[in-house]
Amino acid sequence: MDRLDVIGNVSLDRTRYPDHGGGARIGGAALFVSVAAAQAGRRAAPVCVLGNDLAHLPKMPGLDVLDWSARRQADGPSTTFDLEYGPQGELVAVGTDYGVAEILTEHALAHVDARPRATFHVCCRRPLDATAVLGRLAQFGADFSVDFFLPSAEAMIRAAAPWLPKATTLFLNSAEYRLLEQVIGCGTLPEVVITDGPRAAVVRSFGHQIASAVPPPQLPVEVSGAGDTLAGTFLAHRSRGATAAQALAEATAAASRYVAAPSLPIPAPRRG
């Protein structure tokens, strides 16, 4: 099975919920997608930029299962996100300091140039220049999938639209899918996975629904990263020949387990 190279952020996050839950943790779409894919049996590599504060991350227990060879180490702080959620688990505010991830686009393009035959997943989130990265992948005829992040989704979807029909799979939540419908004919898209929180997730192929799965009910502890977990799991199972229905069932189950589990704590640097 080929490696999944996941282009995106690895970050230091703080999540906040109305019940005073949440807190500081390790986050970032590239990390969550990669971990989920690895847990589902597919080798995965975050294509990311780590600052000094996360330089030790690849050696931490539980994260050493990833292939960290595609990371870039840079002098400075890692990306930080402050994520505030509403009572229904909806994201209501985002605070961001991109730190060393300002050079993520440069790093990602160099990585694509070096591995044009690899399989990629692109987390279309700032500060990544998704237009440049997707254009390069399309130029090489690379195999790639894509996801979005609601606060920047409208601009990112519009920018990415020319290349989306070339993607193997798109991952969106229901609000992002409505934005997508305004920009592109969804009947041109080979595979779109649409999530809706605790409600049924569906897969659409060239405009037709081909699969549906309701996530197993769980009392959520942390929802940030659930969509990334679903995406990584789905891609891992599809790469092994699972049908869309089989992969969606596995992916929704993994996302449900994720929201009920403790977050990844910020690890202290090792001494010596």
Side-chain angles (χ1 to χ4, degrees):
M1 187 188 308
D2 65 331
R3 188 178 82 177
L4 180 65
D5 289 11
V6 184
I7 299 173
N9 296 313
V10 174
S11 58
L12 294 163
D13 293 355
R14 177 169 292 278
T15 57
R16 307 173 192 273
Y17 295 91
D19 63 357
H20 306 294
R25 59 164 201 168
I26 299 297
L31 181 67
F32 290 136
V33 173
S34 297
V35 167
Q39 290 177 341
R42 186 172 189 182
R43 186 172 168 230
V47 183
C48 63
V49 183
L50 298 181
N52 298 329
D53 44 8
L54 292 180
H56 59 296
L57 200 62
K59 297 181 181 179
M60 298 310 298
L63 298 181
D64 51 3
V65 298
L66 300 181
D67 182 342
W68 287 97
S69 63
R71 79 187 188 281
R72 178 171 174 178
Q73 192 67 51
D75 188 19
S78 298
T79 304
T80 60
F81 289 103
D82 194 312
L83 306 164
E84 182 179 350
Y85 289 86
Q88 304 303 315
E90 72 278 16
L91 186 62
V92 297
V94 181
T96 308
D97 184 345
Y98 295 121
V100 296
E102 294 286 2
I103 61 173
L104 175 60
T105 300
E106 172 192 322
H107 173 53
L109 290 172
H111 182 78
V112 171
D113 287 345
R115 288 177 52 85
R117 300 302 177 194
T119 299
F120 297 90
H121 179 75
V122 184
C123 307
C124 293
R125 305 163 189 221
R126 297 182 178 122
L128 185 71
D129 183 345
T131 302
V133 172
L134 295 177
R136 189 69 58 85
L137 291 170
Q139 174 187 337
F140 286 130
D143 182 359
F144 68 93
S145 53
V146 174
D147 72 47
F148 297 95
F149 183 46
L150 186 56
S152 60
E154 183 170 9
M156 285 284 188
I157 288 171
R158 291 186 183 281
W163 297 283
L164 296 184
K166 298 180 182 297
T168 57
T169 310
L170 274 64
F171 296 91
L172 308 101
N173 64 28
S174 57
E176 292 161 353
Y177 185 70
R178 290 192 291 272
L179 294 172
L180 181 73
E181 289 181 304
Q182 298 171 18
V183 173
I184 191 171
C186 293
T188 65
L189 304 174
E191 187 170 77
V192 185
V193 180
I194 308 160
T195 59
D196 194 12
R199 293 165 287 278
V202 302
V203 182
R204 300 183 67 84
S205 179
F206 297 110
H208 301 285
Q209 182 173 316
I210 60 171
S212 175
V214 177
Q218 294 279 9
L219 183 64
V221 174
E222 181 67 79
V223 300
S224 178
D228 303 319
T229 298
L230 183 145
T233 307
F234 184 92
L235 291 170
H237 284 278
R238 286 293 264 158
S239 71
R240 294 205 300 271
T243 66
Q246 291 167 337
L248 187 64
E250 295 286 351
T252 53
S256 289
R257 291 192 297 271
Y258 168 86
V259 302
S263 298
L264 289 170
I266 297 175
R270 287 182 172 178
R271 296 180 180 179

